[in-house]
Short mmCIF file of all heavy atoms in Angstrom, two decimals:
data_model
loop_
_atom_site.label_atom_id
_atom_site.label_comp_id
_atom_site.label_asym_id
_atom_site.label_seq_id
_atom_site.Cartn_x
_atom_site.Cartn_y
_atom_site.Cartn_z
N LYS A 497 184.01 138.45 205.80
CA LYS A 497 184.92 139.61 205.87
C LYS A 497 184.58 140.51 207.06
O LYS A 497 185.45 141.20 207.59
CB LYS A 497 184.83 140.41 204.56
CG LYS A 497 185.42 139.68 203.37
CD LYS A 497 185.27 140.50 202.10
CE LYS A 497 185.83 139.72 200.90
NZ LYS A 497 185.61 140.44 199.62
N ASN A 498 183.31 140.51 207.44
CA ASN A 498 182.86 141.41 208.50
C ASN A 498 183.39 141.01 209.88
O ASN A 498 183.61 141.86 210.73
CB ASN A 498 181.33 141.46 208.52
CG ASN A 498 180.79 142.60 209.33
OD1 ASN A 498 181.21 143.75 209.15
ND2 ASN A 498 179.89 142.32 210.24
N CYS A 499 183.55 139.68 210.10
CA CYS A 499 183.97 139.24 211.44
C CYS A 499 185.22 138.36 211.38
O CYS A 499 185.49 137.60 212.32
CB CYS A 499 182.83 138.50 212.14
SG CYS A 499 182.30 136.96 211.32
N ALA A 500 185.97 138.44 210.26
CA ALA A 500 187.20 137.64 210.13
C ALA A 500 188.19 138.03 211.22
O ALA A 500 188.44 139.21 211.46
CB ALA A 500 187.81 137.85 208.76
N THR A 501 188.73 137.01 211.89
CA THR A 501 189.68 137.24 212.98
C THR A 501 190.95 136.44 212.71
O THR A 501 190.88 135.21 212.58
CB THR A 501 189.08 136.79 214.33
OG1 THR A 501 187.80 137.40 214.48
CG2 THR A 501 189.98 137.17 215.49
N PRO A 502 192.11 137.10 212.61
CA PRO A 502 193.35 136.35 212.40
C PRO A 502 193.77 135.62 213.67
O PRO A 502 193.49 136.09 214.78
CB PRO A 502 194.37 137.43 212.01
CG PRO A 502 193.82 138.70 212.55
CD PRO A 502 192.33 138.55 212.64
N TYR A 503 194.41 134.47 213.52
CA TYR A 503 194.94 133.75 214.68
C TYR A 503 196.23 133.05 214.29
O TYR A 503 196.48 132.80 213.10
CB TYR A 503 193.91 132.75 215.22
CG TYR A 503 193.68 131.54 214.35
CD1 TYR A 503 194.36 130.33 214.59
CD2 TYR A 503 192.78 131.57 213.29
CE1 TYR A 503 194.16 129.21 213.80
CE2 TYR A 503 192.57 130.46 212.49
CZ TYR A 503 193.26 129.28 212.75
OH TYR A 503 193.06 128.17 211.96
N VAL A 504 197.03 132.76 215.28
CA VAL A 504 198.32 132.09 215.04
C VAL A 504 198.06 130.58 214.96
O VAL A 504 197.50 130.00 215.89
CB VAL A 504 199.32 132.39 216.18
CG1 VAL A 504 200.63 131.64 215.94
CG2 VAL A 504 199.56 133.88 216.28
N PRO A 505 198.43 129.94 213.84
CA PRO A 505 198.18 128.50 213.72
C PRO A 505 199.01 127.69 214.71
O PRO A 505 200.08 128.12 215.14
CB PRO A 505 198.59 128.18 212.27
CG PRO A 505 199.48 129.30 211.85
CD PRO A 505 199.07 130.50 212.64
N THR A 506 198.50 126.52 215.07
CA THR A 506 199.24 125.64 215.98
C THR A 506 200.47 125.10 215.25
O THR A 506 200.59 125.20 214.03
CB THR A 506 198.36 124.46 216.41
OG1 THR A 506 198.04 123.67 215.25
CG2 THR A 506 197.07 124.94 217.07
N GLU A 507 201.36 124.50 216.01
CA GLU A 507 202.58 123.94 215.42
C GLU A 507 202.23 122.87 214.39
O GLU A 507 202.85 122.78 213.32
CB GLU A 507 203.46 123.34 216.52
CG GLU A 507 204.85 122.99 216.04
CD GLU A 507 205.75 122.52 217.18
OE1 GLU A 507 205.56 122.97 218.33
OE2 GLU A 507 206.64 121.70 216.90
N GLU A 508 201.20 122.05 214.71
CA GLU A 508 200.78 120.99 213.79
C GLU A 508 200.26 121.59 212.49
O GLU A 508 200.56 121.11 211.39
CB GLU A 508 199.69 120.15 214.46
CG GLU A 508 199.30 118.92 213.66
CD GLU A 508 198.18 118.15 214.34
OE1 GLU A 508 197.85 118.45 215.51
OE2 GLU A 508 197.64 117.23 213.70
N GLU A 509 199.48 122.67 212.61
CA GLU A 509 198.94 123.33 211.42
C GLU A 509 200.06 123.96 210.60
O GLU A 509 200.05 123.90 209.36
CB GLU A 509 197.91 124.40 211.83
CG GLU A 509 196.59 123.81 212.33
CD GLU A 509 195.67 124.87 212.94
OE1 GLU A 509 196.16 125.97 213.30
OE2 GLU A 509 194.46 124.59 213.06
N GLN A 510 201.04 124.55 211.27
CA GLN A 510 202.15 125.16 210.55
C GLN A 510 202.94 124.11 209.76
O GLN A 510 203.35 124.36 208.62
CB GLN A 510 203.08 125.89 211.54
CG GLN A 510 202.50 127.20 212.03
CD GLN A 510 203.39 127.89 213.06
OE1 GLN A 510 204.30 127.27 213.58
NE2 GLN A 510 203.10 129.15 213.35
N GLN A 511 203.13 122.93 210.37
CA GLN A 511 203.84 121.85 209.68
C GLN A 511 203.11 121.42 208.41
O GLN A 511 203.71 121.06 207.40
CB GLN A 511 204.02 120.64 210.62
CG GLN A 511 205.03 120.86 211.73
CD GLN A 511 206.39 121.26 211.19
OE1 GLN A 511 206.87 120.74 210.19
NE2 GLN A 511 207.02 122.22 211.87
N LEU A 512 201.76 121.47 208.48
CA LEU A 512 200.92 121.12 207.33
C LEU A 512 201.24 122.03 206.15
O LEU A 512 201.34 121.59 205.00
CB LEU A 512 199.45 121.27 207.73
CG LEU A 512 198.37 120.65 206.85
CD1 LEU A 512 198.49 119.14 206.82
CD2 LEU A 512 196.99 121.05 207.37
N PHE A 513 201.44 123.32 206.43
CA PHE A 513 201.75 124.29 205.37
C PHE A 513 203.21 124.19 204.95
O PHE A 513 203.51 124.18 203.75
CB PHE A 513 201.43 125.72 205.87
CG PHE A 513 199.97 126.02 205.94
CD1 PHE A 513 199.24 125.77 207.11
CD2 PHE A 513 199.30 126.53 204.84
CE1 PHE A 513 197.90 126.05 207.18
CE2 PHE A 513 197.94 126.81 204.90
CZ PHE A 513 197.23 126.57 206.06
N TYR A 514 204.12 124.12 205.93
CA TYR A 514 205.55 124.05 205.60
C TYR A 514 205.86 122.82 204.75
O TYR A 514 206.69 122.88 203.84
CB TYR A 514 206.40 124.01 206.87
CG TYR A 514 206.32 125.27 207.71
CD1 TYR A 514 206.58 125.24 209.08
CD2 TYR A 514 206.01 126.50 207.13
CE1 TYR A 514 206.51 126.39 209.86
CE2 TYR A 514 205.93 127.66 207.90
CZ TYR A 514 206.18 127.59 209.26
OH TYR A 514 206.10 128.73 210.02
N GLY A 515 205.19 121.71 205.04
CA GLY A 515 205.42 120.47 204.29
C GLY A 515 205.05 120.58 202.82
O GLY A 515 205.47 119.75 202.01
N ARG A 516 204.26 121.60 202.49
CA ARG A 516 203.86 121.80 201.09
C ARG A 516 204.41 123.10 200.52
O ARG A 516 203.87 123.66 199.56
CB ARG A 516 202.34 121.77 200.98
CG ARG A 516 201.79 120.36 201.19
CD ARG A 516 200.30 120.36 201.46
NE ARG A 516 199.80 119.00 201.53
CZ ARG A 516 199.90 118.23 202.60
NH1 ARG A 516 200.51 118.68 203.69
NH2 ARG A 516 199.43 116.99 202.60
N GLY A 517 205.46 123.59 201.16
CA GLY A 517 206.14 124.78 200.64
C GLY A 517 205.38 126.07 200.87
O GLY A 517 205.63 127.07 200.17
N LEU A 518 204.42 126.08 201.80
CA LEU A 518 203.66 127.30 202.09
C LEU A 518 204.08 127.84 203.45
O LEU A 518 204.18 127.09 204.42
CB LEU A 518 202.15 126.99 202.10
CG LEU A 518 201.54 126.57 200.77
CD1 LEU A 518 200.14 126.01 200.99
CD2 LEU A 518 201.47 127.73 199.79
N ASN A 519 204.28 129.13 203.51
CA ASN A 519 204.69 129.74 204.77
C ASN A 519 203.56 130.63 205.27
O ASN A 519 203.14 131.55 204.57
CB ASN A 519 205.96 130.57 204.54
CG ASN A 519 206.55 131.05 205.86
OD1 ASN A 519 206.02 130.77 206.93
ND2 ASN A 519 207.65 131.77 205.77
N THR A 520 203.04 130.34 206.44
CA THR A 520 201.97 131.18 206.97
C THR A 520 202.14 131.40 208.46
O THR A 520 202.43 130.48 209.21
CB THR A 520 200.57 130.56 206.69
OG1 THR A 520 199.58 131.46 207.16
CG2 THR A 520 200.40 129.21 207.37
N GLU A 521 202.02 132.66 208.87
CA GLU A 521 202.09 132.99 210.29
C GLU A 521 200.71 133.30 210.85
O GLU A 521 200.52 133.37 212.06
CB GLU A 521 203.02 134.20 210.49
CG GLU A 521 204.46 133.90 210.10
CD GLU A 521 205.35 135.12 210.25
OE1 GLU A 521 204.83 136.18 210.64
OE2 GLU A 521 206.56 135.00 209.99
N ARG A 522 199.75 133.55 209.96
CA ARG A 522 198.39 133.89 210.38
C ARG A 522 197.38 133.15 209.53
O ARG A 522 197.53 133.05 208.31
CB ARG A 522 198.15 135.40 210.21
CG ARG A 522 198.86 136.27 211.24
CD ARG A 522 198.08 136.29 212.56
NE ARG A 522 198.62 137.27 213.50
CZ ARG A 522 199.63 137.04 214.30
NH1 ARG A 522 200.25 135.88 214.26
NH2 ARG A 522 200.04 137.97 215.14
N LEU A 523 196.35 132.60 210.18
CA LEU A 523 195.19 132.05 209.48
C LEU A 523 193.98 132.86 209.92
O LEU A 523 194.05 133.62 210.88
CB LEU A 523 195.00 130.57 209.82
CG LEU A 523 196.10 129.61 209.35
CD1 LEU A 523 195.80 128.20 209.83
CD2 LEU A 523 196.22 129.62 207.83
N SER A 524 192.86 132.70 209.22
CA SER A 524 191.65 133.46 209.57
C SER A 524 190.49 132.54 209.87
O SER A 524 190.37 131.45 209.29
CB SER A 524 191.25 134.38 208.40
OG SER A 524 191.97 135.56 208.44
N LYS A 525 189.64 133.00 210.77
CA LYS A 525 188.35 132.33 210.99
C LYS A 525 187.35 133.41 211.39
O LYS A 525 187.71 134.45 211.94
CB LYS A 525 188.45 131.25 212.07
CG LYS A 525 188.88 131.73 213.44
CD LYS A 525 188.99 130.56 214.39
CE LYS A 525 189.55 131.01 215.75
NZ LYS A 525 189.76 129.88 216.66
N GLY A 526 186.09 133.17 211.07
CA GLY A 526 185.04 134.12 211.41
C GLY A 526 184.52 133.85 212.81
O GLY A 526 184.21 132.70 213.14
N LYS A 527 184.40 134.89 213.62
CA LYS A 527 183.91 134.66 214.98
C LYS A 527 182.38 134.61 215.03
O LYS A 527 181.80 134.20 216.03
CB LYS A 527 184.45 135.73 215.94
CG LYS A 527 184.02 137.14 215.63
CD LYS A 527 184.65 138.12 216.63
CE LYS A 527 184.23 139.55 216.32
NZ LYS A 527 184.82 140.53 217.24
N GLY A 528 181.73 134.99 213.90
CA GLY A 528 180.26 134.96 213.84
C GLY A 528 179.67 136.33 214.08
O GLY A 528 180.02 137.00 215.04
N CYS A 529 178.80 136.77 213.17
CA CYS A 529 178.13 138.07 213.32
C CYS A 529 176.79 138.02 212.60
O CYS A 529 176.44 137.01 212.00
CB CYS A 529 179.01 139.19 212.74
SG CYS A 529 179.27 139.06 210.95
N SER A 530 176.06 139.12 212.66
CA SER A 530 174.73 139.13 212.04
C SER A 530 174.83 139.06 210.52
O SER A 530 173.94 138.53 209.85
CB SER A 530 173.98 140.40 212.44
OG SER A 530 174.76 141.55 212.14
N THR A 531 175.92 139.55 209.94
CA THR A 531 176.09 139.52 208.49
C THR A 531 176.12 138.08 207.97
O THR A 531 175.56 137.78 206.92
CB THR A 531 177.40 140.24 208.08
OG1 THR A 531 177.35 141.57 208.56
CG2 THR A 531 177.58 140.25 206.57
N CYS A 532 176.79 137.19 208.71
CA CYS A 532 176.95 135.81 208.26
C CYS A 532 176.04 134.83 209.00
O CYS A 532 176.29 133.63 209.00
CB CYS A 532 178.41 135.38 208.39
SG CYS A 532 179.03 135.43 210.09
N ASN A 533 174.99 135.38 209.65
CA ASN A 533 174.06 134.54 210.39
C ASN A 533 174.77 133.73 211.47
O ASN A 533 174.44 132.59 211.76
CB ASN A 533 173.30 133.59 209.44
CG ASN A 533 172.02 133.05 210.06
OD1 ASN A 533 171.43 133.69 210.92
ND2 ASN A 533 171.62 131.86 209.65
N ASN A 534 175.83 134.34 212.03
CA ASN A 534 176.60 133.77 213.13
C ASN A 534 177.33 132.47 212.76
O ASN A 534 177.67 131.67 213.62
CB ASN A 534 175.71 133.52 214.35
CG ASN A 534 176.49 133.66 215.64
OD1 ASN A 534 177.18 134.65 215.82
ND2 ASN A 534 176.42 132.67 216.51
N THR A 535 177.59 132.26 211.47
CA THR A 535 178.29 131.05 211.04
C THR A 535 179.79 131.28 210.89
O THR A 535 180.58 130.33 210.92
CB THR A 535 177.76 130.56 209.67
OG1 THR A 535 177.98 131.60 208.70
CG2 THR A 535 176.27 130.24 209.75
N GLY A 536 180.19 132.55 210.72
CA GLY A 536 181.61 132.83 210.47
C GLY A 536 181.96 132.76 209.00
O GLY A 536 183.11 133.01 208.61
N TYR A 537 180.97 132.42 208.15
CA TYR A 537 181.22 132.29 206.71
C TYR A 537 180.17 133.07 205.92
O TYR A 537 179.00 133.11 206.30
CB TYR A 537 181.16 130.83 206.27
CG TYR A 537 182.18 129.93 206.93
CD1 TYR A 537 181.82 129.12 208.00
CD2 TYR A 537 183.50 129.89 206.49
CE1 TYR A 537 182.75 128.29 208.62
CE2 TYR A 537 184.43 129.07 207.10
CZ TYR A 537 184.06 128.26 208.16
OH TYR A 537 184.97 127.46 208.77
N LYS A 538 180.60 133.67 204.82
CA LYS A 538 179.68 134.38 203.93
C LYS A 538 180.16 134.23 202.50
O LYS A 538 181.23 134.68 202.14
CB LYS A 538 179.64 135.88 204.31
CG LYS A 538 178.64 136.70 203.52
CD LYS A 538 177.22 136.41 203.94
CE LYS A 538 176.23 137.33 203.23
NZ LYS A 538 174.83 136.97 203.52
N GLY A 539 179.36 133.54 201.68
CA GLY A 539 179.75 133.30 200.30
C GLY A 539 180.61 132.05 200.16
O GLY A 539 180.97 131.41 201.16
N ARG A 540 180.90 131.71 198.90
CA ARG A 540 181.72 130.51 198.64
C ARG A 540 182.76 130.79 197.57
O ARG A 540 182.63 131.73 196.79
CB ARG A 540 180.82 129.35 198.20
CG ARG A 540 179.99 128.78 199.32
CD ARG A 540 179.33 127.47 198.95
NE ARG A 540 178.25 127.64 197.99
CZ ARG A 540 177.56 126.62 197.48
NH1 ARG A 540 177.84 125.38 197.83
NH2 ARG A 540 176.58 126.84 196.62
N LEU A 541 183.80 129.97 197.55
CA LEU A 541 184.78 130.00 196.48
C LEU A 541 185.17 128.57 196.14
O LEU A 541 184.92 127.65 196.93
CB LEU A 541 186.02 130.81 196.87
CG LEU A 541 187.01 130.20 197.85
CD1 LEU A 541 188.40 130.75 197.57
CD2 LEU A 541 186.65 130.52 199.28
N ALA A 542 185.74 128.39 194.96
CA ALA A 542 186.08 127.04 194.51
C ALA A 542 187.55 126.74 194.78
O ALA A 542 188.40 127.63 194.75
CB ALA A 542 185.80 126.90 193.02
N ILE A 543 187.83 125.48 195.10
CA ILE A 543 189.22 124.99 195.11
C ILE A 543 189.31 123.95 193.99
O ILE A 543 188.35 123.22 193.73
CB ILE A 543 189.62 124.40 196.48
CG1 ILE A 543 188.68 123.26 196.91
CG2 ILE A 543 189.66 125.49 197.53
CD1 ILE A 543 189.13 122.53 198.16
N HIS A 544 190.44 123.92 193.30
CA HIS A 544 190.56 123.11 192.08
C HIS A 544 191.82 122.26 192.08
O HIS A 544 192.76 122.52 192.83
CB HIS A 544 190.65 124.00 190.84
CG HIS A 544 189.56 125.01 190.68
ND1 HIS A 544 189.63 126.26 191.24
CD2 HIS A 544 188.37 124.94 190.02
CE1 HIS A 544 188.53 126.95 190.93
NE2 HIS A 544 187.76 126.18 190.20
#
Side-chain angles (χ1 to χ4, degrees):
K497 291 178 182 176
N498 194 50
C499 63
T501 308
Y503 71 96
V504 178
T506 64
E507 191 175 330
E508 187 182 350
E509 288 171 341
Q510 285 177 346
Q511 289 304 320
L512 195 65
F513 287 90
Y514 294 155
R516 289 165 175 80
L518 295 167
N519 189 0
T520 183
E521 295 178 359
R522 287 280 189 276
L523 295 177
S524 276
K525 60 182 174 184
K527 63 181 180 181
C529 65
S530 54
T531 302
C532 61
N533 199 27
N534 211 50
T535 61
Y537 299 100
K538 184 73 175 174
R540 288 192 289 178
L541 74 151
I543 57 173
H544 306 88

